PDB file of all heavy atoms in Angstrom:
ATOM      1  N   VAL A 176      46.365  18.673 -28.353  1.00 93.00           N
ATOM      2  CA  VAL A 176      47.436  19.526 -28.872  1.00 93.00           C
ATOM      3  C   VAL A 176      48.718  19.240 -28.092  1.00 93.00           C
ATOM      4  O   VAL A 176      48.735  19.309 -26.862  1.00 93.00           O
ATOM      5  CB  VAL A 176      47.064  21.022 -28.754  1.00 93.00           C
ATOM      6  CG1 VAL A 176      48.183  21.890 -29.293  1.00 93.00           C
ATOM      7  CG2 VAL A 176      45.748  21.306 -29.483  1.00 93.00           C
ATOM      8  N   PHE A 177      49.784  18.917 -28.820  1.00 94.00           N
ATOM      9  CA  PHE A 177      51.086  18.619 -28.239  1.00 94.00           C
ATOM     10  C   PHE A 177      52.094  19.625 -28.785  1.00 94.00           C
ATOM     11  O   PHE A 177      52.204  19.796 -29.993  1.00 94.00           O
ATOM     12  CB  PHE A 177      51.536  17.203 -28.612  1.00 94.00           C
ATOM     13  CG  PHE A 177      50.557  16.136 -28.239  1.00 94.00           C
ATOM     14  CD1 PHE A 177      49.561  15.743 -29.120  1.00 94.00           C
ATOM     15  CD2 PHE A 177      50.627  15.510 -27.003  1.00 94.00           C
ATOM     16  CE1 PHE A 177      48.652  14.755 -28.779  1.00 94.00           C
ATOM     17  CE2 PHE A 177      49.728  14.524 -26.649  1.00 94.00           C
ATOM     18  CZ  PHE A 177      48.731  14.141 -27.539  1.00 94.00           C
ATOM     19  N   ASP A 178      52.824  20.284 -27.880  1.00 96.00           N
ATOM     20  CA  ASP A 178      53.843  21.246 -28.288  1.00 96.00           C
ATOM     21  C   ASP A 178      55.148  20.932 -27.577  1.00 96.00           C
ATOM     22  O   ASP A 178      55.140  20.511 -26.416  1.00 96.00           O
ATOM     23  CB  ASP A 178      53.425  22.674 -27.903  1.00 96.00           C
ATOM     24  CG  ASP A 178      52.347  23.220 -28.815  1.00 96.00           C
ATOM     25  OD1 ASP A 178      52.638  23.462 -29.997  1.00 96.00           O
ATOM     26  OD2 ASP A 178      51.204  23.396 -28.337  1.00 96.00           O
ATOM     27  N   GLY A 179      56.252  21.163 -28.264  1.00 95.00           N
ATOM     28  CA  GLY A 179      57.535  20.961 -27.624  1.00 95.00           C
ATOM     29  C   GLY A 179      58.684  21.449 -28.488  1.00 95.00           C
ATOM     30  O   GLY A 179      58.505  21.777 -29.667  1.00 95.00           O
ATOM     31  N   VAL A 180      59.838  21.517 -27.872  1.00 96.00           N
ATOM     32  CA  VAL A 180      61.066  21.913 -28.564  1.00 96.00           C
ATOM     33  C   VAL A 180      62.140  20.898 -28.186  1.00 96.00           C
ATOM     34  O   VAL A 180      62.384  20.654 -27.000  1.00 96.00           O
ATOM     35  CB  VAL A 180      61.522  23.329 -28.152  1.00 96.00           C
ATOM     36  CG1 VAL A 180      62.832  23.689 -28.841  1.00 96.00           C
ATOM     37  CG2 VAL A 180      60.444  24.352 -28.469  1.00 96.00           C
ATOM     38  N   LEU A 181      62.767  20.308 -29.186  1.00 95.00           N
ATOM     39  CA  LEU A 181      63.836  19.336 -28.963  1.00 95.00           C
ATOM     40  C   LEU A 181      65.148  19.927 -29.463  1.00 95.00           C
ATOM     41  O   LEU A 181      65.345  20.078 -30.668  1.00 95.00           O
ATOM     42  CB  LEU A 181      63.531  18.024 -29.695  1.00 95.00           C
ATOM     43  CG  LEU A 181      64.628  16.962 -29.649  1.00 95.00           C
ATOM     44  CD1 LEU A 181      64.918  16.533 -28.213  1.00 95.00           C
ATOM     45  CD2 LEU A 181      64.256  15.768 -30.502  1.00 95.00           C
ATOM     46  N   PRO A 182      66.066  20.300 -28.552  1.00 96.00           N
ATOM     47  CA  PRO A 182      67.369  20.783 -29.003  1.00 96.00           C
ATOM     48  C   PRO A 182      68.267  19.595 -29.356  1.00 96.00           C
ATOM     49  O   PRO A 182      68.300  18.600 -28.623  1.00 96.00           O
ATOM     50  CB  PRO A 182      67.904  21.543 -27.788  1.00 96.00           C
ATOM     51  CG  PRO A 182      67.154  21.023 -26.616  1.00 96.00           C
ATOM     52  CD  PRO A 182      65.894  20.398 -27.111  1.00 96.00           C
ATOM     53  N   ILE A 183      68.938  19.693 -30.484  1.00 96.00           N
ATOM     54  CA  ILE A 183      69.886  18.653 -30.896  1.00 96.00           C
ATOM     55  C   ILE A 183      71.170  19.314 -31.380  1.00 96.00           C
ATOM     56  O   ILE A 183      71.214  20.519 -31.623  1.00 96.00           O
ATOM     57  CB  ILE A 183      69.319  17.742 -32.022  1.00 96.00           C
ATOM     58  CG1 ILE A 183      69.071  18.552 -33.307  1.00 96.00           C
ATOM     59  CG2 ILE A 183      68.059  17.018 -31.567  1.00 96.00           C
ATOM     60  CD1 ILE A 183      68.824  17.712 -34.535  1.00 96.00           C
ATOM     61  N   LYS A 184      72.197  18.505 -31.535  1.00 96.00           N
ATOM     62  CA  LYS A 184      73.441  18.932 -32.171  1.00 96.00           C
ATOM     63  C   LYS A 184      73.431  18.336 -33.577  1.00 96.00           C
ATOM     64  O   LYS A 184      73.359  17.112 -33.741  1.00 96.00           O
ATOM     65  CB  LYS A 184      74.667  18.412 -31.410  1.00 96.00           C
ATOM     66  CG  LYS A 184      74.703  18.827 -29.953  1.00 96.00           C
ATOM     67  CD  LYS A 184      75.284  20.178 -29.795  1.00 96.00           C
ATOM     68  CE  LYS A 184      75.536  20.459 -28.312  1.00 96.00           C
ATOM     69  NZ  LYS A 184      75.940  21.808 -28.086  1.00 96.00           N
ATOM     70  N   ARG A 185      73.496  19.189 -34.590  1.00 94.00           N
ATOM     71  CA  ARG A 185      73.410  18.712 -35.967  1.00 94.00           C
ATOM     72  C   ARG A 185      74.555  17.774 -36.325  1.00 94.00           C
ATOM     73  O   ARG A 185      74.381  16.818 -37.082  1.00 94.00           O
ATOM     74  CB  ARG A 185      73.323  19.877 -36.947  1.00 94.00           C
ATOM     75  CG  ARG A 185      74.578  20.728 -37.037  1.00 94.00           C
ATOM     76  CD  ARG A 185      74.458  21.814 -38.098  1.00 94.00           C
ATOM     77  NE  ARG A 185      75.605  22.682 -38.125  1.00 94.00           N
ATOM     78  CZ  ARG A 185      76.730  22.421 -38.795  1.00 94.00           C
ATOM     79  NH1 ARG A 185      76.854  21.314 -39.493  1.00 94.00           N
ATOM     80  NH2 ARG A 185      77.741  23.277 -38.758  1.00 94.00           N
ATOM     81  N   THR A 186      75.745  18.028 -35.738  1.00 94.00           N
ATOM     82  CA  THR A 186      76.903  17.204 -36.083  1.00 94.00           C
ATOM     83  C   THR A 186      76.771  15.776 -35.542  1.00 94.00           C
ATOM     84  O   THR A 186      77.387  14.860 -36.066  1.00 94.00           O
ATOM     85  CB  THR A 186      78.202  17.842 -35.562  1.00 94.00           C
ATOM     86  OG1 THR A 186      78.090  18.071 -34.155  1.00 94.00           O
ATOM     87  CG2 THR A 186      78.494  19.150 -36.287  1.00 94.00           C
ATOM     88  N   ALA A 187      75.944  15.572 -34.520  1.00 95.00           N
ATOM     89  CA  ALA A 187      75.717  14.217 -34.002  1.00 95.00           C
ATOM     90  C   ALA A 187      74.988  13.359 -35.029  1.00 95.00           C
ATOM     91  O   ALA A 187      75.037  12.123 -34.968  1.00 95.00           O
ATOM     92  CB  ALA A 187      74.906  14.272 -32.705  1.00 95.00           C
TER      93      ALA A 187
END
Side-chain angles (χ1 to χ4, degrees):
V176 180
F177 305 90
D178 285 292
V180 178
L181 175 61
I183 64 167
K184 303 276 190 187
R185 67 176 176 85
T186 55

